[in-house]
Amino acid sequence: MKKLALPLLALIVILGFAFGCASGYTPAPGPDTSPATTEQPTVPATSPAPASTPESPSPSTPTQGELKVHFIDVGQGDATLLQGPDFTILIDAGRHDRSDVVPYLKSAGVKTIDLLIGTHPHADHIGQFPQVIEAFPVGEVWLSGDTTTTRTFERAIDAIEASDAGYHEPRAGETFSFGSARIEVLNPARLTGNLHEGSISVRIVYGSFTALFTGDAEAETETAILARQPDVNALILQLGHHGSSTSSSAEFLKAVNPEVAVYSAAEGNSYGHPHEVVLERLRQMGVQIYGTDVNGTIMVITDGQTYEVQAQRR
Amino acid sequence: MEKAVVDRIVDKRHAVLLVGENEVEKIVSIDKLPPGAGEGTWLKVEFEGDELVAAEVDAEGTARVKARITAKMERLRQRGRKTSK
């Protein structure tokens, strides 16, 4: 979107029309007006970090190949697949009363999962942990460490225990490498007993591409994250708590400064997610918005330098 | 009455209950929860359709499950990471 050379822009517009999709060049955010398929902004790979980035911008990682970030349409729940050339990460595993995650992963060609993250123990996030763990070899599982008493949660931890997976409860400030991806843990610093406050939040760096996932962290937790002064700047932001107004404070959005925001929610859900106030805040900032309720499964494809967004439907 | 557990409170307004053996999701207003009930509390409930008409806290059941899960989590924490940083 930024710094596109004119001929390239023209080409994209032409291709856009040729393939029957919106050009995706003018920032016209909102689920109703989002471009259906592709957009090809240029990631400022070598230019200085944007002004909103804290003093010590994190370095990019060496990359070879494509990362596909799949925001899987799992109804009113969350499941995001990060499929890289040398890593496979699943952040959350859908709702407990559906069984759509394993079939999707199989169709995407997943054979093994290096890291399975359950951002927090609610049933719309860890719902299909048992199926996923039974269907694929899983290297390592991360949970926040918060617990709950549902059968769904108990089945999830039973499945982890029955598997060969390693187990970790990540804490803010830790950094991990999975293949050519770096994972920076932003939350929790410690557990409070409030499951949303304990949501594992991670910033993924692949080349100069960045994406931020905060699970169901709410505004108080966003404030706590910012107070710890990590680099939160990200091109792609998954909106916290399904686009609820409990999350995505103006302050947090400003700090993240995303180009694209994605939320996962079911059409006509009982909570009215995503909330209009959040969408409006993003529109004011010129951020492109995609949602699984409107767009179905959304895929962001990057080579670590540039990215494009592909949506199942417009 | 049937067993249910409060899975989550959404937007400080909605309580998501998982009801019965199969954990069927029912969403009710948090005003309908009995005093002392929050996330992770086991209840005995009676529904008429989607409407919660009676609910009481099962403190003993809640404590029993909590203890069992705490023990399982302790075991999980023993295993640690296996892949290298």
Side-chain angles (χ1 to χ4, degrees), chain B residues 17-33:
Chain B
L17 306 186
L18 306 182
V19 183
E21 284 293 322
N22 294 325
E23 299 207 308
V24 174
E25 181 179 282
K26 299 266 190 190
I27 301 169
V28 303
S29 164
I30 56 167
D31 309 335
K32 302 272 186 173
L33 291 183

Side-chain angles (χ1 to χ4, degrees), chain A residues 53-230:
Chain A
T53 305
E55 317 78 58
S56 53
S58 53
S60 58
T61 65
T63 59
Q64 198 167 30
E66 242 176 25
L67 163 62
K68 290 180 185 165
V69 183
H70 310 239
F71 296 87
I72 309 168
D73 180 7
V74 291
Q76 185 66 21
D78 263 88
T80 308
L81 169 67
L82 294 101
Q83 195 173 26
D86 50 6
F87 60 93
T88 302
I89 298 166
L90 183 65
I91 303 177
D92 287 330
R95 294 175 56 82
H96 77 293
D97 54 6
R98 290 174 60 144
S99 50
D100 41 11
V101 176
V102 168
Y104 184 90
L105 298 181
K106 285 188 171 164
S107 73
V110 170
K111 299 278 186 268
T112 61
I113 294 172
D114 302 304
L115 173 63
L116 172 61
I117 301 176
T119 58
H120 66 289
H122 288 153
D124 54 334
H125 290 255
I126 53 130
Q128 293 163 55
F129 255 51
Q131 293 96 311
V132 168
I133 292 168
E134 281 156 26
F136 305 99
V138 175
E140 185 169 345
V141 179
W142 290 1
L143 296 180
S144 65
D146 277 318
T147 64
T148 189
T149 57
T150 60
R151 288 189 177 87
T152 293
F153 181 71
E154 190 165 12
R155 285 192 193 110
I157 60 174
D158 285 347
I160 301 166
E161 190 167 25
S163 77
D164 294 327
Y167 177 78
H168 184 58
E169 294 173 2
R171 291 294 175 261
E174 293 180 343
T175 297
F176 300 87
S177 289
F178 282 82
S180 46
R182 187 171 69 243
I183 303 185
E184 300 165 0
V185 181
L186 306 183
N187 198 64
R190 59 186 176 83
L191 300 180
T192 63
N194 177 307
L195 271 49
H196 280 174
E197 286 179 7
S199 268
I200 294 175
S201 304
V202 291
R203 180 173 180 265
I204 310 283
V205 181
Y206 180 72
S208 54
F209 173 87
T210 46
L212 186 63
F213 303 86
T214 58
D216 277 1
E218 298 179 324
E220 299 82 353
T221 307
E222 293 171 349
T223 302
I225 290 173
L226 294 182
R228 294 191 284 268
Q229 299 189 304

Side-chain angles (χ1 to χ4, degrees), chain B residues 55-78:
Chain B
E56 59 187 59
V57 170
D58 177 3
E60 210 175 286
T62 304
R64 194 170 53 239
V65 178
K66 202 173 271 183
R68 190 172 69 225
I69 285 178
T70 301
K72 288 183 179 183
M73 286 296 284
E74 282 310 313
R75 287 208 301 273
L76 262 191
R77 288 180 180 125
Q78 300 299 318

Side-chain angles (χ1 to χ4, degrees), chain A residues 245-292:
Chain A
S245 58
T246 57
S247 307
S248 302
S249 66
E251 180 198 24
F252 190 68
L253 294 182
K254 191 176 163 220
V256 177
N257 194 25
E259 290 184 356
V260 175
V262 183
Y263 62 85
S264 183
E267 195 178 355
N269 67 77
S270 311
Y271 320 111
H273 294 162
H275 290 149
E276 182 55 32
V277 62
V278 171
L279 300 181
E280 186 52 32
R281 210 169 274 159
L282 291 161
R283 285 187 203 113
Q284 292 291 333
M285 295 173 68
V287 178
Q288 293 278 354
I289 306 168
Y290 294 85
T292 58

